[in-house]
Amino acid sequence: MPGENFRDIQAFLAVARERSFTRAAARLGVSQSALSHTIRALEARLGLRLLTRTTRSVSPTEAGERLIESVGPRFEAISSELADFEALRGKPAGTVRISAPDFAANTILWPRLSRLRQTCPDIKLEVAIEPGLIDIVAEHFDAGVRFGDQIARGMTAVRISPDIRMTIVGAPSYLERCPPPRMPSDLTAHDCINMRFSMRGDVYAWALRKGNQNLRVRVEGPWTFNCIYPVIEAALAGSGLAYMPEMLARPHVQSGRLRPVLKDWCPTFPGLHLYFASRHPSSPALSLVVEALRYHHQSDAQSGEPAIHGLM
């Protein structure tokens, strides 16, 4: 097959993977119009329509799906093999794609990986904020970040944080209007700020624990978000009670802007972990990312990362 077809198929796979010409063009470093022309030229040479385009979405046709299934894995294998050759230069390079919730990206990935970038400028990092659980293999991520008890079997996981205690908090203005709950059942009478990790998923039920009692409480309220930082802002504004990692609430509790409630019912979850599909990182660049994020209790406690130390 002519060399131009190889490049054009790579462009097609990028559009099919991103389901967007705009995102695929940004990822490939080309203009959207140039990418659209490339896809039309490929379809013309093959005599097949590969993508269905609407004003709101892009999706593969049946022929496009067959092309993805038949050549997609081969292109990924070639890319992986080429990445392995970077080790021969003694200078790791390439793009590492990571799926992570927003608070993990802000409090762990950004401070640690920004330091890695200073020493390894040829490594590019793509972090996708994904609050819900996804299949990192199907979505073509090199790694993901989740709590330790959320990682699927068969994945290799590396701890990147200590265990994380949760808390329920409300602004003083809200708690003056509504007396603080004394039992989990009291939450049903309160305005609570919800999270929905996926647009197709249910609203998250608050996990509570006291001794051997484990509860999942479904709450109601005026706001539902799919990431944590708007939840914090809504709580600070007095919109209701919020459930969040204690590390995020702590500065506002210390300043008096938030007050914890039901403290003896708030559980501790296994810490955040970086996970990937194989027993070993697939590239030298990913290996360096793993080591940069790996949690070391003593060194991390002394690193000056205020959002990380002191969680236990």
Side-chain angles (χ1 to χ4, degrees):
M1 181 181 291
E4 62 181 2
N5 274 2
F6 281 105
R7 293 189 296 271
D8 293 355
I9 290 175
Q10 285 180 314
F12 161 72
L13 291 173
V15 175
R17 184 178 296 123
E18 297 292 342
R19 300 298 173 105
S20 164
F21 276 90
T22 302
R23 291 194 296 270
R27 182 177 175 185
L28 295 171
V30 300
S31 70
Q32 187 174 342
S33 60
L35 181 57
S36 180
H37 176 76
T38 296
I39 299 302
R40 285 198 300 269
L42 176 62
E43 290 177 325
R45 287 198 302 275
L46 296 179
L48 294 168
R49 187 166 185 170
L50 301 176
L51 294 171
T52 298
R53 306 162 178 84
T54 69
T55 56
R56 294 186 177 182
S57 66
V58 178
S59 60
T61 62
E62 182 179 356
E65 290 285 2
R66 289 187 60 182
L67 187 61
I68 293 169
E69 293 174 3
S70 61
V71 306
R74 294 179 174 88
F75 271 83
E76 291 175 9
I78 291 171
S79 297
S80 178
E81 292 294 334
L82 289 175
D84 290 342
F85 279 97
E86 298 294 343
L88 300 178
R89 296 193 311 169
K91 192 176 182 181
T95 299
V96 177
R97 301 184 73 230
I98 304 172
S99 165
D102 57 343
F103 84 94
N106 283 18
T107 60
I108 298 178
L109 271 61
W110 169 251
R112 297 185 192 173
L113 295 183
S114 60
R115 292 196 293 267
L116 173 65
R117 281 274 302 125
Q118 293 174 5
T119 58
C120 301
D122 288 341
I123 293 178
K124 296 181 180 180
L125 300 162
E126 182 177 333
V127 178
I129 303 303
E130 298 280 355
L133 299 177
I134 66 166
D135 184 337
I136 60 170
V137 176
E139 298 295 331
H140 304 283
F141 286 100
D142 298 293
V145 174
R146 292 293 179 268
F147 284 111
D149 60 350
Q150 295 178 324
I151 297 171
R153 294 181 61 182
M155 292 286 177
T156 298
V158 175
R159 178 182 281 266
I160 64 173
S161 87
D163 289 347
I164 294 179
R165 179 174 170 79
M166 304 301 291
T167 188
I168 301 173
V169 291
S173 60
Y174 174 79
L175 293 172
E176 287 171 5
R177 300 195 310 269
C178 304
R182 297 180 180 275
M183 294 292 293
S185 57
D186 296 338
L187 291 171
T188 58
H190 279 265
D191 285 338
C192 296
I193 303 160
N194 270 307
M195 282 194 66
R196 188 192 305 273
F197 293 125
S198 167
M199 294 306 294
R200 294 184 296 273
D202 294 332
V203 169
Y204 177 73
W206 293 6
L208 303 178
R209 182 183 307 137
K210 184 177 181 181
N212 294 326
Q213 300 180 73
N214 290 282
L215 303 177
R216 287 276 182 177
V217 181
R218 296 198 175 275
V219 296
E220 299 290 338
W223 291 98
T224 300
F225 300 100
N226 72 338
C227 51
I228 195 64
Y229 289 101
V231 171
I232 299 172
E233 293 301 319
L236 289 169
S239 296
L241 299 179
Y243 180 89
M244 67 184 70
E246 186 181 54
M247 59 189 268
L248 299 182
R250 186 180 299 120
H252 306 297
V253 171
Q254 291 173 343
S255 69
R257 298 182 68 195
L258 292 176
R259 295 177 186 170
V261 299
L262 294 177
K263 291 190 287 187
D264 53 348
W265 279 94
C266 293
T268 297
F269 291 142
L272 293 167
H273 288 64
L274 183 79
Y275 65 99
F276 41 93
S278 59
R279 292 183 59 188
H280 303 287
S282 59
S283 70
L286 180 57
S287 294
L288 287 177
V289 167
V290 170
E291 290 310 311
L293 294 176
R294 188 185 297 274
Y295 175 66
H296 303 283
H297 181 75
Q298 292 299 325
S299 61
D300 286 349
Q302 299 170 6
S303 68
E305 294 177 7
I308 304 303
H309 70 74
L311 295 180
M312 303 292 278

